[in-house]
Amino acid sequence: MIDLDDVAGLCPGLHAASAEPLAFRAVIALQRRHRPGVTLQVTLGGKELREALSWSERPTELAQMEDFNRVTEEGAEALALALAGRQCGWSVRRRLQSRSSEGADWLMASGTAKVIVEVGGTDDGDLDVLQKRKSGKRERRRGRSKSSELRVWYASSSRRYCSGGAMTLDELNARVTAAILRAERLPEGSDQAQAAFREVGRIEESIAALMPADDLEGEIARLGAVTAALSAGEPLRALWLVDRYLAEGVSPEAATKLDALRAEADVKLAEMAAKVPLVRPIKYALQDAA
Amino acid sequence: MTPELRQSIAKRARDLQTRMHPTEVDAVHLAEEARRVFEDAADELRARWITLELGGYVGPADAPPLSEVLRVQPGDPVGSRLVAHIAAYRTQRGRLVTPDHPRRELHHFFVDPLPELAATAEKLAKSPTSPVVVLRLADAQETRLVEFGHDVFGRILSGFAAALHLQLADLIK
């Protein structure tokens, strides 16, 4: 049985700060049509499995405060992680940013190997349509750049100082997971979302400084730092990071992705250049009442 | 320029780039060092840019376009790229919060010298954390109160560092 109230036990490696909102959204999504105790039917490696789902019922009006698709997606992620933990023995390493994930949502560990997991959620009940849509997306992306769906690497462990305190890779992974989930729930392009992505970028850069460029987690962090800079509305920082990371000798696949992100940053800069303001001689003063 | 001088400038530019880090930016020091590199390279445009950065973009009251302030000729790709870079970090999005005025989004080009921006960034970093900072922007016609993210000055400084890194890369290409 998967108990969605037991956030600490949702999936090994998934911290409560991230697990709680995911489990909450799974409950909101499930309550659209189901009651606690409903059985989840799973096809895993060609085998049919059944898992009972339990939760404490939440007031239905809570659903109105949440974005419908976001709830569906995150609800699916909660259940997928719970299944991966229970049925496959995998544990969470970290979340990846949606816009850079290229068919990968979570990095998980299976023993010493690492596994990239993609999760899809739909409310229309047609899993075939969802799978076709997702694999179509992957094919189109493959046409642009070579990306592997599943890669296995070996874990490493080291420490570095971040914001004055020693942080392990595990701690940074937990922080970046929570930060990504928080940033992606905010309206795209809003001041709040941009600020939240700046925080994501800071953590990604810390992971990039900690992990070598030829390590999977180091590669994810480098791509994540550039992506976060773009989401934060900072194309110059994105270009700077691309230059730095290309000089570090990333894999050819990562270099291709960095080049694509550089092109995106150049487009954003061109858009900004088209709206260059006049240089008005207006100096600022801090407003004390702020 | 002799090959030796070109080589020496390229080395100094690369050294400067190597010492720049996205999370630790001493913008004023970087600017002063970069100005010497650009002057030695006889790169008038970029040297003028750094002079404006250190002294501020405050000039004539008739609000000229940025390309005019930098004296960039139409169709000059190097100059146009520099203008795009400067606009990207000196233009920041805020929200008009002047009492009795409708709240609306506003883009402000910060004309102030780097040392002043750096001093304000440092002051704000020491103050209690607040998600926003309100600035008074006054000209001869009116005074407006505009709300920005608390880290707006830090963003300008790190944007300047990013632009400098990219401009140095262009210089030694």
Side-chain angles (χ1 to χ4, degrees):
Chain A
M1 184 182 71
I2 295 173
D3 180 1
L4 292 167
D5 293 336
D6 175 21
V7 291
L10 192 66
C11 181
L14 185 65
H15 288 234
S18 299
E20 201 167 334
L22 288 178
F24 168 75
R25 286 176 176 83
V27 167
I28 298 294
L30 285 163
Q31 284 189 172
R32 290 172 189 156
R33 298 191 185 84
H34 305 292
R35 303 284 309 274
V38 67
T39 300
L40 175 69
Q41 189 182 320
V42 185
T43 307
L44 188 72
K47 286 185 186 165
E48 297 292 322
L49 302 172
R50 285 172 183 274
E51 282 270 10
L53 302 177
S54 82
W55 68 88
S56 310
E57 288 193 88
R58 309 291 208 283
T60 50
E61 53 269 29
L62 286 178
Q64 291 160 10
M65 299 162 71
E66 299 284 331
D67 177 79
F68 188 90
N69 292 329
R70 188 83 211 161
V71 164
T72 307
E73 287 285 342
E74 289 197 20
E77 290 188 40
L79 295 180
L81 293 176
L83 285 168
R86 295 168 66 83
Q87 299 293 340
C88 309
W90 296 351
S91 61
V92 166
R93 294 294 304 161
R94 58 162 292 177
R95 177 71 149 78
L96 280 71
Q97 291 171 67
S98 294
R99 64 180 280 174
S100 65
S101 61
E102 303 260 335
D105 297 305
W106 292 86
L107 180 67
M108 302 192 78
S110 170
T112 53
K114 291 175 189 169
V115 183
I116 285 175
V117 176
E118 180 183 16
V119 181
T122 179
D123 192 68
D124 63 13
D126 195 337
L127 285 176
D128 288 339
V129 171
L130 175 71
Q131 274 181 332
K132 276 177 193 157
R133 197 172 68 221
K134 287 219 155 230
S135 57
K137 230 189 231 177
R138 279 199 297 275
E139 288 307 315
R140 282 198 301 279
R141 282 168 176 163
R142 265 202 211 111
R144 280 210 322 263
S145 64
K146 282 191 270 177
S147 68
S148 34
E149 297 302 316
L150 180 73
R151 296 165 65 177
V152 179
W153 296 62
Y154 291 93
S156 59
S157 173
S158 52
R159 299 172 79 90
R160 88 175 284 259
Y161 283 90
C162 176
S163 306
M167 294 197 80
T168 63
L169 176 61
D170 288 350
E171 287 164 340
L172 288 167
N173 274 338
R175 283 179 60 159
V176 83
T177 296
I180 290 169
L181 289 169
R182 194 166 48 243
E184 291 187 346
R185 287 180 194 124
L186 294 165
E188 197 180 329
S190 65
D191 290 346
Q192 297 92 327
Q194 290 193 343
F197 274 109
R198 276 194 285 281
E199 172 67 7
V200 171
R202 278 192 286 272
I203 307 169
E204 297 277 29
E205 286 177 35
S206 292
I207 298 173
L210 183 68
M211 301 305 291
D214 61 356
D215 176 275
L216 178 60
E217 292 189 62
E219 185 179 295
I220 289 170
R222 282 164 177 79
L223 291 169
V226 177
T227 305
L230 286 169
S231 298
E234 296 185 336
L236 280 174
R237 191 178 188 85
L239 290 172
W240 184 8
L241 293 171
V242 166
D243 271 7
R244 283 178 69 91
Y245 295 153
L246 283 175
E248 289 176 0
V250 293
S251 69
E253 291 94 338
T256 305
K257 288 179 186 175
L258 285 172
D259 278 336
L261 291 170
R262 174 170 22 214
E264 198 180 323
D266 279 332
V267 168
K268 285 211 170 184
L269 268 182
E271 286 169 8
M272 287 175 164
K275 293 183 271 185
V276 178
L278 297 173
V279 181
R280 297 185 191 284
I282 301 174
K283 290 174 69 69
Y284 72 87
L286 286 172
Q287 175 77 354
D288 293 336
Chain B
M1 194 187 302
T2 64
E4 291 78 18
L5 180 58
R6 191 189 305 278
Q7 213 171 9
S8 153
I9 287 166
K11 184 181 179 304
R12 284 162 59 201
R14 268 192 291 271
D15 285 350
L16 188 53
Q17 279 184 311
T18 308
R19 280 185 280 121
M20 292 164 68
H21 193 276
T23 56
E24 297 149 21
V25 172
D26 180 352
V28 177
H29 179 77
L30 288 175
E32 284 164 349
E33 211 170 326
R35 180 159 61 181
R36 287 192 288 276
V37 173
F38 292 138
E39 282 173 351
D40 290 350
D43 188 330
E44 285 180 26
L45 174 64
R46 291 188 176 105
R48 192 177 309 123
W49 164 45
I50 300 298
T51 300
L52 287 165
E53 285 295 329
L54 289 167
Y57 288 74
V58 181
D62 60 348
L66 180 55
S67 55
E68 205 173 287
V69 175
L70 281 162
R71 287 183 246 155
V72 170
Q73 300 302 314
D76 169 10
V78 174
S80 301
R81 185 167 155 83
L82 179 58
V83 167
H85 284 183
I86 299 168
Y89 65 83
R90 281 209 170 244
T91 308
Q92 295 289 334
R93 182 172 71 181
R95 202 163 296 281
L96 188 69
V97 291
T98 309
D100 304 325
H101 282 67
R103 285 174 75 96
R104 64 177 170 85
E105 193 179 287
L106 180 146
H107 289 84
H108 176 66
F109 183 89
F110 283 81
V111 295
D112 316 79
L114 271 184
E116 283 181 27
L117 298 171
T120 308
E122 202 177 331
K123 183 177 174 183
L124 287 175
K126 287 177 190 158
S127 67
T129 309
S130 155
V132 294
V133 58
V134 177
L135 303 183
R136 203 166 49 249
L137 302 174
D139 63 11
Q141 281 82 43
E142 62 173 340
T143 297
R144 292 181 295 184
L145 296 182
V146 184
E147 185 182 273
F148 293 93
H150 189 264
D151 62 348
V152 64
F153 293 98
R155 291 208 305 275
I156 296 170
L157 298 175
S158 71
F160 165 72
L164 181 57
H165 180 96
L166 298 167
Q167 291 294 329
L168 286 166
D170 284 351
L171 177 76
I172 57 181
K173 240 182 218 171

